[in-house]
């Protein structure tokens, strides 16, 4: 009699996507919490997100459970940088759109209010945001200004009596159509400085329209924003964000966070292609037995391990409060480039089934196109690195 263990298709204990055992560097309490988050994401989010992704809908019913796991305030809960990075990777492993939502929420919404908001603004907004009962939109990019936003930002803020009047347009604003709070970056017409304002989106003068037909991050509700004579009280200005240097600090850490997104995306690629290769039978044997398919899996694992190690070191630099924009740009551009490479090879390994979103790899591949582009496109980040390494700027002045 042949035992189940001897069967060539019997389940075996195989390495997980944490190929360098980064989780072992966490203290026991963080490791246990990470495992609980991972189990929930894999059981309740990964497959459930596909339908919403296909329909370009935001599955708000998933948010309360994510809030219970503390994912609305992970950047403010005192946890280690490595833990936070691995959490963001696990969210992206389950669904990259939701990782974009939660990452921007933590890094750019909650983070901005916590770092630069007044005590009154913090009291008004942070409790609901941290519980994911309220959502925010980070309004920086404009229709005519993306990579050149620091110099070209055209949205204006004009002091009028005891308040402000905002006018302008924003584009590609995540959650712009559903947000309760919009953090709007505008140029003060009096001194020319770029400042941040907390805007209640129910106010007259704020209009958002959904950007449809995206190929990636389809769950994330990106929007075009119109600000038309939007009147704000004087205390809408964030006192710690009266200059664009505040945004630069936020964007530096946010850029590094996208590197963790790319690690999570590669975890998903690794999961999908290995599982498919083991289960899919062709010519009477598993795809995993073919050399070309094993090469795809091995290269995906190599890219994942390289990016995991890179991002682990980035967290050490962040813990020392020494992260430079060049390092953040290097991490983001490298990790998303390798994620893109792995996804393309894995999609090909799945053949025709790789074209279908419910097999996972097409969805992941399309979402990687988005993270390869946002938070500074791949080429812009490469030029930031090149400028730092050579002392010569390739940007048009």
């Amino acid at each position: 009699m042949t035992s189940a263990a001897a069967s060539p298709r019997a389940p075996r204990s195989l390495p997980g996507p944490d190929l360098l055992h980064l989780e072992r560097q966490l203290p026991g309490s963080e490791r246990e919490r990470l495992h609980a988050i991972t189990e929930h994401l894999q059981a309740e989010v990964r497959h459930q997100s596909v339908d919403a992704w296909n329909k370009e809908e935001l599955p708000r019913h998933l948010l309360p459970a994510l809030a219970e796991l503390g994912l609305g305030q992970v950047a403010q809960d005192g946890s280690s940088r490595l833990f936070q990075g691995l959490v963001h990777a696990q969210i992206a492993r389950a669904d990259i759109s939701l990782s974009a939502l939660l990452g921007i929420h933590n890094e750019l919404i909650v983070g901005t209010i916590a770092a630069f908001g007044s005590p009154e603004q913090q009291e008004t907004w942070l409790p609901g945001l941290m519980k994911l009962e309220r959502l925010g939109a980070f309004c920086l990019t404009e229709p005519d200004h993306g990579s050149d936003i620091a110099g070209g930002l055209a949205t204006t803020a004009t002091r009028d009596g005891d308040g402000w009047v905002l006018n302008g347009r924003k584009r590609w604003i995540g959650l712009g159509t559903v947000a309760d709070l919009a953090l709007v970056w505008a140029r003060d017409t009096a001194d020319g400085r770029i400042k941040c304002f907390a805007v209640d989106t129910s106010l007259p003068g704020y209009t958002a329209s959904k950007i449809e037909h995206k190929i990636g991050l389809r769950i994330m509700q990106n929007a075009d924003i119109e600000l038309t004579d939007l009147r704000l009280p004087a205390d809408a200005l964030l006192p710690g964000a009266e200059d664009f240097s505040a945004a630069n600090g936020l964007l530096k850490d946010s850029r590094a966070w996208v590197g963790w997104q790319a690690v999570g995306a590669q975890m998903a690629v690794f999961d999908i292609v290995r599982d498919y290769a083991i289960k899919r039978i062709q010519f009477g044997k598993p795809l995993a037995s073919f050399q070309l398919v094993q090469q795809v899996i091995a290269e995906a694992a190599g890219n994942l391990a390289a990016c995991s190690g890179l991002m682990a070191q980035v967290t050490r630099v962040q813990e020392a409060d020494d992260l430079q924009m060049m390092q953040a740009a290097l991490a983001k551009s490298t990790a998303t480039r390798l994620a893109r490479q792995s996804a393309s090879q894995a999609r090909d390994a799945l053949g025709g089934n790789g074209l279908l979103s419910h097999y996972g790899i097409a969805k992941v591949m399309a979402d990687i196109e988005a993270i390869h582009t946002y938070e500074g496109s791949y080429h812009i980040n490469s030029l930031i690195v090149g400028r730092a390494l050579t002392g010569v700027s390739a940007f048009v002045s």
Side-chain angles (χ1 to χ4, degrees):
M1 177 182 290
T2 302
S3 69
S7 170
R9 298 189 63 191
R12 294 184 299 160
S13 177
L14 298 172
D18 183 16
L19 299 169
L20 299 180
H21 304 305
L22 296 184
E23 292 181 14
R24 296 182 186 178
Q25 299 178 26
L26 299 174
S29 59
E30 288 190 345
R31 190 159 58 246
E32 290 177 10
R33 185 181 171 199
L34 179 64
H35 289 167
I37 290 170
T38 300
E39 288 176 9
H40 175 82
L41 291 168
Q42 289 296 305
E44 304 297 336
V45 173
R46 177 180 173 182
H47 298 293
Q48 291 83 341
S49 67
V50 175
D51 188 53
W53 190 92
N54 285 332
K55 295 177 179 178
E56 293 188 274
E57 294 177 350
L58 175 65
R60 295 194 74 142
H61 66 281
L62 297 178
L63 298 184
L66 299 179
E68 289 183 11
L69 290 167
L71 299 186
Q73 55 182 319
V74 69
Q76 304 297 321
D77 63 9
S79 56
S80 68
R81 283 282 191 175
L82 180 59
F83 171 80
Q84 293 173 29
L86 290 172
V87 165
H88 285 303
Q90 288 295 344
I91 300 169
R93 180 187 177 195
D95 181 79
I96 301 173
S97 288
L98 285 175
S99 80
L101 186 160
L102 291 169
I104 292 169
H105 176 88
N106 277 279
E107 297 289 333
L108 297 181
I109 305 300
V110 172
T112 298
I113 296 292
F116 304 124
S118 67
E120 293 76 19
Q121 289 166 338
Q122 293 171 0
E123 183 179 356
T124 297
W125 292 107
L126 286 181
L129 289 169
M130 288 181 170
K131 296 177 183 177
L132 296 176
E133 294 171 349
R134 288 174 143 181
L135 298 175
F138 191 82
C139 303
L140 178 61
T141 303
E142 298 179 349
D144 298 322
H145 300 287
S147 299
D148 68 342
I149 193 66
L153 188 142
T155 299
T156 61
T158 302
R159 196 62 190 258
D160 182 39
D162 60 354
W164 296 88
V165 178
L166 271 57
N167 281 284
R169 296 183 298 157
K170 299 293 183 179
R171 182 162 173 79
W172 294 114
I173 306 306
L175 300 182
T177 57
V178 298
D180 304 285
L181 166 69
L183 295 177
V184 178
W185 294 84
R187 192 179 300 277
D188 187 341
T189 55
D191 60 18
R193 293 161 66 187
I194 297 173
K195 303 176 180 181
C196 186
F197 299 83
V199 176
D200 184 330
T201 59
S202 66
L203 289 173
Y206 177 95
T207 305
S209 55
K210 179 181 175 181
I211 297 174
E212 298 183 308
H213 311 304
K214 297 183 300 175
I215 69 164
L217 294 190
R218 291 168 60 86
I219 285 175
M220 172 60 88
Q221 306 296 292
N222 291 92
D224 285 310
I225 307 295
E226 295 279 347
L227 305 168
T228 307
D229 295 329
L230 175 64
R231 305 191 71 86
L232 298 173
D235 61 5
L237 174 66
L238 272 65
E242 296 188 85
D243 188 87
F244 195 71
S245 60
N248 275 333
L250 292 167
L251 295 174
K252 179 179 63 179
D253 284 334
S254 182
R255 200 156 291 185
W257 152 70
V258 180
W260 281 112
Q261 270 196 296
V263 169
Q266 291 177 72
M267 288 180 172
V269 168
F270 177 77
D271 288 338
I272 293 165
V273 70
R274 182 177 65 176
D275 186 61
Y276 187 86
I278 291 171
K279 295 178 180 177
R280 175 72 169 176
I281 304 299
Q282 291 288 281
F283 302 102
K285 54 185 178 180
L287 280 182
S289 66
F290 292 92
Q291 293 179 0
L292 289 176
V293 176
Q294 286 203 6
Q295 181 179 4
V296 169
I297 297 170
E299 288 188 8
N303 287 346
L304 169 57
C307 293
S308 298
L310 169 63
M311 292 311 303
Q313 180 58 29
V314 166
T315 63
R316 297 186 186 100
V317 176
Q318 286 177 303
E319 292 278 11
D321 197 25
D322 195 32
L323 183 69
Q324 306 300 310
M325 183 60 84
M326 182 274 287
Q327 296 164 327
L330 178 68
K332 190 269 182 183
S333 59
T334 300
T336 57
R337 170 173 58 85
L338 293 179
R340 202 180 190 210
Q341 178 189 84
S342 293
S344 176
Q345 293 176 333
R347 198 234 48 87
D348 185 60
L350 266 68
N353 287 333
L355 301 174
L356 303 174
S357 62
H358 65 276
Y359 277 87
I361 195 62
K363 174 174 173 284
V364 172
M365 183 177 177
D367 285 343
I368 288 173
E369 287 299 300
I371 67 173
H372 188 256
T373 301
Y374 77 177
E375 292 292 337
S377 70
Y378 171 75
H379 292 99
I380 288 294
N381 278 300
S382 296
L383 294 181
I384 291 172
V385 175
R387 180 178 61 189
L389 297 178
T390 65
V392 179
S393 177
F395 292 100
V396 177
S397 60

